[in-house]
Structure formats: structure tokens, C-alpha cells
Amino acid sequence: MKIDGITTRSIWLEADGHSIGIFDQRALPWSIERLILSEMEQAADAIATMATRGAPLIGAVAAYGLAMALRQDSSDQALEAAHKHLAATRPTAVNLRWALDRVAAHVRPLPQHRRPAAAYAEAARICDEDEAMNRAIGAAGLPLIREIAARKPGQPVNILMHCNPGWLATVDWGTATAPIYLAHDEGLPVHVWVDETRPRNQGALTAFELAEHGVPHSYVTDNAGGLLMQQGLVDMVILGTDRVTANGDVCNKIGTYLKALAAHAHDVPFYVALPDSTYDPATPDGASVPIEERNGKEVSTVTGPDTEGVMRQITVTRSPVRNPAFDITPAALVTGYVTPRGVLRGAEELASLIKE
Ligand code: MRU
């Protein structure tokens, strides 16, 4: 997709052949800064500090992180230690462990001298596949938007979105944004309600992306969705996910569950977009997903540039804080799963998402 008018992925291999480039998402949307990661420790740090974020993207960065570690030391012990270290950076998105397991399984049987190159090649394949899957999610979700557009000619299709399931959270295209980009590109009148997604304001990243692509949108508080649905101003909800469990429960950014409840109450279809790598058949249900608890300072403060562009942090409370970063939406509240294999309904159909 485009950033600052330049077409790019959110992750790329640098000319030296072993470092990767990413956008520092802590600086977005105020400034576009690139980070070069050359060592496993830098990749791990980028994931843990959310310089890079989004379920599929942290998987891709971790995959390259493992390749970087093997470049230094390709022994069995080094492989297992790097896998463990990178897997511990964030607990909730299954894509992280999936990508690490995949690279490790690919290189383990190889002689040590062949492991680094093989790991880099596998990480590149993970990136290529992620882009292809997101395009396929776009193609699967587009008819849902077309259908609504056909029912209300001349009026915008209003779509509510939470967090950033966009290209900045993936390798390219995004998951839930892919159908919207395609709909907009074919001239359908779409308008997106973008939840701000406190405390990390991932909605600001979604808004930034949509603006770059010229998609009409409005930035709203996390609590606005209920009223908008009550007023008939939401035609569908579509959002991404960090893990879908065997029974179809959806783990996604905190606040998703409340949107699902409101959508259910108002008969608004609630779609969840995911690539194969986000499906976790090994975890039976949402209650078994480890929910990341982040630093309370993210809630008790607000950070952003002042009118002069200088970054400021303002304290909003000195009370004790809890900061769970994800929640669970029960499968019963999900209208459909928009996947590279089409729109799937229910846990049985989801089982067709066989992961490598
Ligand atoms: O910003 P994060 O890494 O905490 O959030 C993860 C996500 O990007 C989302 O929950 C997203 O909706 C997953 S879909 C790409």
C-alpha cells in the first residue's frame, strides 16, 4: 500500500540481505520513521515495545528475528534459545508463535551451515503468503460490501472498525481493510467509522491508512459505536483478530466484545477477517487464550504532539489502573469469518483453515 505517496510493504529486506526495515509505529501517524533491525535482540525489542505491531506483522518480524539469530549462531541450542526469547515478547497473537514454529521446523533438519539462508527464505515466504492471503480476504469480503451497497443505492455503506487491522498490522493490504480498499477502488461509496482504540490509539493508524488511500472515514471514540448502531448508521462491523480458537471464539483488541454485543442487539452483521495464520485449532476456546496485560501508564496517560509538534505525555489519573489489551468475543456473536478461503460460518467451516 502507500505511505507518503510511496508504494511499500510494512516490512522489507534491506540491501545488505540480512537486515529488515520496518516503520516505527510509535511515531505514526505524526511522523514517518523507518527502523532497521539487524540482530535478533533488536527484532525482539521492536515487538515488545510495539515499534512494530499487529498480529501478522509481529509474526513476520519474529521470523526474520530467528533468521538473524541463526546468522550469529546456527547451533541447536541457539535456535531453541532464540525461539524462546522471541516467543516471549508478546503472549496473545498466535501468529507470533506460529511463524517461529514454522521457521524453526523448516531449519531444524538442516545442517547448521544451511540454516541461516533457509530461515531467511522461509521468513520471506511468510511475508509473501501474508500479502496473498490478505488480497484473498479482500476478494472474499468485497461481495459483502457490494450486497449492502446494492440495497441502498446512492448512499454510503457505513462500516465500523476497531483497532488497526490494516496493512500496517500485516505485511500488506491488511485483513479487515482489504475488502474496504477493493470496494473503494471499484467505486463503491464506503465510509468507515474508525474507533480510536484507547489506550494505544491504533484507530489513528487505521485513519492514517484510510486517508492515504482516499477512503472516506470518521474517527470516533470507543464508546460511540452503540449510539451509531442505534441510529442505523452502521451497516456492518468488520475487524481483525489476534487469535481465533477451535470453537470460533475471537480474541481481538480490547473493546471488540462490546462492539459485538451492540451489533448483536441491533442486528448489525459482525464479521471477523483473518488469514490462516491467525486460526489456532490447538486452543479450544477463548477462555484459554493468554490475555496480555500491559503497563498501566498507557491508560493513566495520553501521549501526542503539542501544537508545536513536540511530543508530550499528559497524566489523566493517579488512580490504580488495569490494562488488559485484548478481549474475547464468543463465536455466537460472529456473523462470519472472512478468510482467504471465503466467508466461513461457524467452527466447523473454520476447520478448513489448515495451517502449514
Ligand atoms: O496493536 P496490537 O499489536 O496490540 O494489536 C494487534 C492488532 O493489530 C489487532 O488486534 C488487529 O485487529 C489484528 S488484525 C491484523
Side-chain angles (χ1 to χ4, degrees):
M1 302 300 284
K2 281 202 164 83
I3 192 161
D4 226 4
I6 298 164
T7 302
T8 176
R9 281 178 169 184
S10 62
I11 177 171
W12 58 91
L13 193 63
E14 285 286 305
D16 63 12
H18 62 82
S19 305
I20 56 164
I22 55 167
F23 294 103
D24 187 341
Q25 299 201 30
R26 297 164 303 188
L28 286 170
W30 308 293
S31 78
I32 298 167
E33 292 169 23
R34 291 165 178 81
L35 286 178
I36 308 299
L37 314 175
S38 308
E39 289 167 20
M40 186 265 285
E41 202 50 62
Q42 293 172 325
D45 189 61
I47 296 168
T49 61
M50 289 177 72
T52 190
R53 45 151 297 286
L57 183 57
I58 60 175
V61 172
Y64 275 113
L66 198 51
M68 289 168 194
L70 291 170
R71 206 175 146 257
Q72 299 301 326
D73 179 350
S74 57
S75 65
D76 286 353
Q77 298 92 308
L79 171 61
E80 303 316 327
H83 181 292
K84 195 169 165 207
H85 186 65
L86 286 159
T89 50
R90 291 192 74 187
T92 301
V94 72
N95 315 61
L96 178 68
R97 178 167 283 276
W98 166 83
L100 289 167
D101 286 351
R102 178 167 155 175
V103 175
H106 183 67
V107 302
R108 234 178 244 122
L110 300 177
Q112 285 192 21
H113 71 279
R114 288 186 49 208
R115 286 177 174 175
Y120 274 99
E122 194 64 4
R125 268 191 293 276
I126 285 173
C127 290
D128 291 345
E129 286 172 22
D130 188 64
E131 177 176 348
M133 289 218 187
N134 293 334
R135 277 173 180 265
I137 289 170
L142 177 59
L144 301 172
I145 301 176
R146 280 195 193 130
E147 219 172 275
I148 297 168
R151 287 205 304 265
K152 44 186 303 205
Q155 292 178 66
V157 176
N158 286 305
I159 301 168
L160 187 130
M161 186 167 276
H162 193 69
C163 195
N164 174 242
W167 73 271
L168 288 166
T170 66
V171 172
D172 212 343
W173 284 90
T175 55
T177 51
I180 293 171
Y181 288 134
L182 292 181
H184 174 77
D185 290 350
E186 77 170 29
L188 294 175
V190 286
H191 167 264
V192 185
W193 298 111
V194 181
D195 283 356
E196 61 177 344
T197 318
R198 276 278 292 152
R200 293 294 294 235
N201 294 83
Q202 283 92 339
L205 300 171
T206 303
F208 170 78
E209 280 192 24
L210 295 172
E212 289 271 316
H213 203 84
V215 179
H217 62 281
S218 308
Y219 195 63
V220 293
T221 63
D222 290 323
N223 297 322
L227 178 75
L228 295 171
M229 290 185 209
Q230 202 172 46
Q231 293 178 332
L233 293 173
V234 181
D235 294 304
M236 71 187 276
V237 177
I238 185 166
L239 33 75
T241 166
D242 298 80
R243 193 189 294 228
V244 174
T245 57
N247 72 338
D249 287 352
V250 172
C251 179
N252 191 46
K253 185 54 59 193
I254 192 81
T256 299
Y257 177 38
L258 283 175
K259 297 296 135 50
L261 286 171
H264 186 69
H266 294 285
D267 236 353
V268 171
F270 184 92
Y271 290 102
V272 176
L274 70 147
D276 296 15
S277 57
T278 305
Y279 177 51
D280 181 15
T283 298
D285 52 31
S288 317
V289 176
I291 302 289
E292 181 177 13
E293 278 274 347
R294 295 191 59 84
N295 194 316
K297 242 188 156 187
E298 292 182 347
V299 178
S300 62
T301 61
V302 176
T303 306
D306 65 15
T307 47
E308 311 298 318
V310 178
M311 291 298 279
R312 302 264 183 220
Q313 191 172 69
I314 294 160
T315 301
V316 291
T317 182
R318 295 199 196 285
S319 291
V321 166
R322 282 286 305 272
N323 186 14
F326 298 91
D327 65 20
I328 305 295
T329 297
L333 298 178
V334 179
T335 309
Y337 305 88
V338 186
T339 77
R341 289 155 220 260
V343 181
L344 307 177
R345 320 246 169 196
E348 269 173 38
E349 288 191 15
L350 264 177
S352 69
L353 295 180
I354 306 297
K355 302 206 292 186
E356 261 187 68

